Amino acid sequence: MTALTYLLAGMLVWGGIGWLVDHWVGTKGIFAGIGAVVGIGGGIYLIVRRLGA
């Protein structure tokens, strides 16, 4: 359950930051997609680092 939480939280937080950047720059979803991918990568990093999976 913790691993799923790390993945979802990373995707939502970084995707949200990307959405804000999209809104500020005037693009449509480019940075939100990049942010979601970065968030998933960060979530995987945390899973490996903290849970040793």
Side-chain angles (χ1 to χ4, degrees), residues 1-13 39 43 46-47 51:
M1 191 64 168
T2 304
L4 180 63
T5 304
Y6 283 147
L7 287 176
L8 287 176
M11 184 175 66
L12 290 174
V13 168
L46 283 175
I47 291 169
L51 301 178

Side-chain angles (χ1 to χ4, degrees), residues 5-43:
T5 304
Y6 283 147
L7 287 176
L8 287 176
M11 184 175 66
L12 290 174
V13 168
W14 287 103
I17 291 170
W19 179 81
L20 289 173
V21 171
D22 276 331
H23 185 69
W24 182 55
V25 175
T27 56
K28 295 187 178 195
I30 294 171
F31 291 105
I34 292 170
V37 170
V38 168
I40 291 172

